[in-house]
Amino acid sequence: MEYLLVLLHVALIWMLAVATPGANVLLTINTALNYDRKIAAFSAFGVSCATLLWSFFGGSGLVILFSHFPQLFGLMKVLGGSYLLYLGVRQIYLTRKIKRLGELTEINLTISPSKRKVFISAFITSILNPKTGFFVVSLFSVSMPENMSATMILAIMLTMASITLSWHLFLVMAFSHESAKSFYARISGVMDYVTGGLFTIFGIKVMTS
């Protein structure tokens, strides 16, 4: 019974954490709007795999290293913030370039990245996101019993990864729908700048937090 209660507690907390808007959610939505559904799904896979690794860090106690070695956490913030900053600046640069050349958005959409590239980008964004680390630390400090078996740790890892995958696949389905893409096409010029700006803000916020 206690086993099920722990998993239920984890599921409820993690559902709230995953649904909170942030860099991971923004990346999945942006990918779904710009590319087809099959490619965008690999963004969801990348984020969920990173969650699986983060939950392993939490369950194994490796996440405690961040409290003992703050320099390690500081390095992760710099790396994660820099990557988000790169995504933001790149988005703004490409948007300006397309506008300057007078190209149509549809032409840009035909040049799709590989599934592997989308997966790696989502994985890196999530694994270097300190916000995910904060949630994991909070979750394991509040919800977990003192002595956890390997089976319970595995169940928690799969629960967290499954919730993450389900939510991001939902985002992919919703924002890759034709109506969402049609609306996006009408305001893509503005939205691309907004997306780039948000990534830039997230990056700066991560590095200075």
Side-chain angles (χ1 to χ4, degrees):
M1 187 65 180
E2 182 186 359
Y3 186 87
L4 293 176
L5 286 175
V6 169
L7 289 181
L8 180 60
H9 199 186
V10 168
L12 290 174
I13 293 176
W14 196 248
M15 279 191 285
L16 294 174
V18 167
T20 304
N24 299 342
V25 169
L26 181 61
L27 182 65
T28 298
I29 292 175
N30 189 54
T31 306
L33 286 170
N34 281 285
Y35 308 113
D36 69 58
R37 188 170 293 172
K38 290 181 180 179
I39 290 177
F42 278 82
S43 180
F45 296 147
V47 175
S48 61
C49 284
T51 299
L52 196 64
L53 189 56
W54 266 115
S55 59
F56 170 74
F57 290 157
S60 63
L62 289 176
V63 77
I64 298 175
L65 289 174
F66 291 134
S67 60
H68 292 298
F69 300 97
Q71 300 89 346
L72 184 62
F73 190 67
L75 176 63
M76 190 188 73
K77 288 202 299 182
V78 171
L79 291 175
S82 298
Y83 187 70
L84 292 175
L85 194 60
Y86 159 76
L87 291 177
V89 172
R90 180 175 178 272
Q91 179 85 0
I92 294 172
Y93 169 76
L94 290 176
T95 303
R96 286 177 59 85
K97 183 178 179 181
I98 291 169
K99 184 178 180 181
R100 189 166 58 247
L101 295 176
E103 296 173 354
L104 296 175
T105 305
E106 285 78 10
I107 294 176
N108 187 50
L109 289 177
T110 60
I111 308 173
S112 299
S114 66
K115 295 173 181 177
R116 181 168 174 258
K117 185 176 181 180
V118 170
F119 175 88
I120 291 174
S121 179
F123 180 84
I124 293 175
T125 300
S126 187
I127 203 66
L128 292 179
N129 189 352
K131 176 187 162 188
T132 308
F134 284 135
F135 276 127
V136 170
V137 170
S138 300
L139 180 65
F140 277 86
S141 61
V142 171
S143 305
M144 303 302 121
E146 291 185 6
N147 298 315
M148 290 191 296
S149 65
T151 304
M152 178 174 282
I153 293 175
L154 180 60
I156 290 168
M157 289 171 60
L158 293 175
T159 299
M160 292 170 66
S162 298
I163 291 171
T164 303
L165 181 60
S166 299
W167 173 245
H168 282 264
L169 283 177
F170 167 76
L171 293 175
V172 168
M173 293 291 289
F175 287 92
S176 63
H177 194 273
E178 200 58 44
S179 59
K181 285 182 176 290
S182 297
F183 177 74
Y184 171 72
R186 294 195 294 270
I187 60 170
S188 60
V190 175
M191 282 303 298
D192 287 342
Y193 279 120
V194 170
T195 302
L198 287 174
F199 273 124
T200 303
I201 291 170
F202 284 145
I204 294 173
K205 187 176 179 181
V206 164
M207 287 189 288
T208 57
S209 61

